[in-house]
Amino acid sequence: MVMNTPPMGWNTWNTFGENINEQLIMETADAMVEKGLKDAGYEYVVIDDCWSCKYRDENGDLVPDPVKFPHGIKYLADYIHSKGLKLGMYSCCGPLTCAGYPGSLDHEYQDAMFFARNGVDYLKYDWCYHPRNMAGWTLYNRMRMALDATGRDIVFSICNWGEEDAETWVKKVGGNLYRSTCDISDNFDIITTIFKEQENLFCLSGPSCFNDIDMLVCGMYGKGNVSSTGGCTAEQYATHFKLWCMTSSPLMIGCDIRNMDEGTAKLLTNKKYIAIDQDAEQRPPIRLGDNRLIALFKHVSDCEYMLSVTNVTKERMEWNLVSFPEFGFPGNGDWGIELVDIDTEEKRGTFTTNFWVNDLEPGQTKIYRCKVVKLR
């Protein structure tokens, strides 16, 4: 299965962990439609770990927890499909999942058939308890081949946290996306640390196999399964979302979208940001700037570019420089770059050699649409 743009959807783990059930999933599917997320491009409803019993049945099949999912998985899949959405599920390449439920090791073909006959469209495949005497790529290749054998198109989300140089083999084994990071949490320092660690992997992402820098925590505000502090501010969540869009990461919402506030809903459905993430060219950004400022320059369609600038310090940004020669612009005065703030559509001016950033609050990101114009 080939994907031309990164997948978008929602996953249970960040907020709910093991506290999942049929009603939650159906209500979330309803909310995705009612709150405009489906229309914005989000289509996958992914049930993460803890959905099954801790045993297989007499035939060796996975068993949905009868308390959490009394009508089974196919019932849920049919409901989600009726909303124009798709169902994602979770398993692991070891004998156990991360939470101690049955994994798919040596059951790959049986489990793939289980997922296919239950209408599953997406599989997140984790890395816990994997056998250390087997190369990771062989374990993931096993499951990709098993999914293919079902005859059903199933997106394959490889989640091995970037170990064993995963970026060198995930595309070869049929992965559609790969988790290259440790687990995210609802903490701005961890969000920016994860992002900075991705610099050498920006170019190892694109159509058919996307670098997944983990799920979104936007709108959680310290509530949920991955929250150890009071969460982030609205501005920090906006930066989180903008940075993920600038790198064309998969966009998997992690908050409780049934109860998200208006600001979160507006952020997650922002057409301009999503258009950057889903741009047809799918080009990675060029990293500019120093440790005080994350600046990203990105080629997009129609011979235009995007420039994002992020203040990662604890103080207001005063007169920090984005130097155009860093991304190869000649700066000889014959040509200039016109900058337009994509939020306000305000033209910031036309610049030939650099752009001074002097209006960023701590944790804030601004994105500018760039166009090269002839000056003389």
Side-chain angles (χ1 to χ4, degrees), residues 1-4 136-138 140-141 144-145 148 156-160 163-179 202-212 281-282:
M1 181 179 185
V2 176
M3 303 188 75
N4 292 320
W137 71 266
T138 63
Y140 284 97
N141 197 47
R144 176 74 269 182
M145 294 178 70
D148 289 344
F156 192 32
S157 171
I158 290 175
C159 182
N160 87 320
E163 293 190 1
E164 295 191 8
D165 299 318
E167 68 277 3
T168 66
W169 51 259
V170 288
K171 193 170 184 178
K172 291 189 288 189
V173 302
N176 297 112
L177 59 155
Y178 68 102
R179 256 281 301 284
F202 285 163
C203 284
L204 299 175
S205 181
S208 81
C209 191
F210 296 95
N211 180 6
D212 175 11
E281 294 202 8
Q282 285 300 304

Side-chain angles (χ1 to χ4, degrees), residues 27 78 92 95 112-113 136 169 219 290 349 367:
E27 288 177 356
D78 289 345
C92 193
M113 290 301 296
W169 51 259
D290 55 31
I367 301 178

Side-chain angles (χ1 to χ4, degrees), residues 194-326:
I194 284 175
F195 183 84
K196 289 176 182 178
E197 289 174 348
Q198 294 301 303
E199 185 171 349
N200 292 331
L201 300 180
F202 285 163
C203 284
L204 299 175
S205 181
S208 81
C209 191
F210 296 95
N211 180 6
D212 175 11
I213 56 179
D214 210 357
M215 297 172 285
L216 298 166
V217 296
C218 304
M220 291 185 63
Y221 290 106
K223 300 176 182 178
N225 188 47
V226 299
S227 296
S228 57
T229 64
C232 303
T233 66
E235 196 66 72
Q236 289 170 339
Y237 286 135
T239 279
H240 172 30
F241 190 66
K242 292 172 187 178
L243 290 177
W244 264 232
C245 289
M246 283 294 293
T247 58
S248 294
S249 176
L251 300 178
M252 287 290 168
I253 300 169
C255 70
D256 182 356
I257 61 175
R258 301 170 304 170
N259 299 307
M260 64 182 174
D261 63 19
E262 184 177 346
T264 299
K266 187 176 180 180
L267 172 67
L268 294 175
T269 57
N270 187 297
K271 293 181 179 179
K272 294 178 181 179
Y273 305 155
I274 292 173
I276 298 171
D277 183 82
Q278 298 288 301
D279 185 72
E281 294 202 8
Q282 285 300 304
R283 298 189 183 277
I286 299 167
R287 171 70 193 274
L288 314 169
D290 55 31
N291 289 330
R292 296 171 298 166
L293 178 77
I294 295 176
L296 301 173
F297 183 80
K298 182 182 179 75
H299 291 242
V300 293
S301 303
D302 299 323
C303 296
E304 289 192 342
Y305 313 91
M306 293 291 170
L307 173 67
S308 70
V309 286
T310 302
N311 179 3
V312 293
T313 73
K314 306 294 184 183
E315 300 176 352
R316 179 179 171 83
M317 184 67 70
E318 296 290 348
W319 301 107
N320 208 346
L321 178 70
V322 176
S323 175
F324 292 174
E326 282 192 62

Side-chain angles (χ1 to χ4, degrees), residues 32-260:
M32 286 180 70
V33 176
E34 293 165 3
K35 295 178 182 290
L37 291 166
K38 175 180 176 291
D39 288 342
Y42 298 91
E43 59 177 339
Y44 293 99
V45 180
V46 182
I47 304 172
D48 211 288
D49 205 351
C50 310
W51 61 268
S52 75
C53 294
K54 289 197 172 182
Y55 58 83
R56 291 176 178 267
D57 68 14
E58 64 276 10
N59 299 314
D61 280 333
L62 295 165
V63 180
D65 185 309
V67 175
K68 295 177 179 178
F69 301 102
H71 295 96
I73 301 304
K74 183 63 164 61
Y75 174 85
L76 264 183
D78 289 345
Y79 186 84
I80 288 168
H81 292 157
S82 75
K83 299 290 182 177
L85 301 168
K86 297 178 181 179
L87 175 64
M89 296 292 291
Y90 169 98
S91 189
C92 193
C93 68
L96 298 173
T97 70
C98 296
Y101 293 79
S104 291
L105 181 67
D106 294 331
H107 290 271
E108 290 87 357
Y109 283 79
Q110 184 172 15
D111 290 357
M113 290 301 296
F114 173 88
F115 293 130
R117 69 174 175 266
N118 280 283
V120 173
D121 306 291
Y122 178 113
L123 178 64
K124 177 182 173 182
Y125 204 48
D126 220 334
W127 185 233
C128 288
Y129 301 105
H130 63 280
R132 297 289 175 175
N133 63 341
M134 294 183 67
W137 71 266
T138 63
L139 296 168
Y140 284 97
N141 197 47
R142 273 192 187 190
M143 182 52 88
R144 176 74 269 182
M145 294 178 70
L147 294 173
D148 289 344
T150 69
R152 182 176 179 81
D153 280 341
I154 298 178
V155 174
F156 192 32
S157 171
I158 290 175
C159 182
N160 87 320
W161 324 324
E163 293 190 1
E164 295 191 8
D165 299 318
E167 68 277 3
T168 66
W169 51 259
V170 288
K171 193 170 184 178
K172 291 189 288 189
V173 302
N176 297 112
L177 59 155
Y178 68 102
R179 256 281 301 284
S180 57
T181 74
C182 61
D183 288 353
I184 200 168
S185 64
D186 189 8
N187 178 288
F188 191 63
D189 288 338
I190 292 176
I191 291 169
T192 54
T193 295
I194 284 175
F195 183 84
K196 289 176 182 178
E197 289 174 348
Q198 294 301 303
E199 185 171 349
N200 292 331
L201 300 180
F202 285 163
C203 284
L204 299 175
S205 181
S208 81
C209 191
F210 296 95
N211 180 6
D212 175 11
I213 56 179
D214 210 357
M215 297 172 285
L216 298 166
V217 296
C218 304
M220 291 185 63
Y221 290 106
K223 300 176 182 178
N225 188 47
V226 299
S227 296
S228 57
T229 64
C232 303
T233 66
E235 196 66 72
Q236 289 170 339
Y237 286 135
T239 279
H240 172 30
F241 190 66
K242 292 172 187 178
L243 290 177
W244 264 232
C245 289
M246 283 294 293
T247 58
S248 294
S249 176
L251 300 178
M252 287 290 168
I253 300 169
C255 70
D256 182 356
I257 61 175
R258 301 170 304 170
N259 299 307
M260 64 182 174

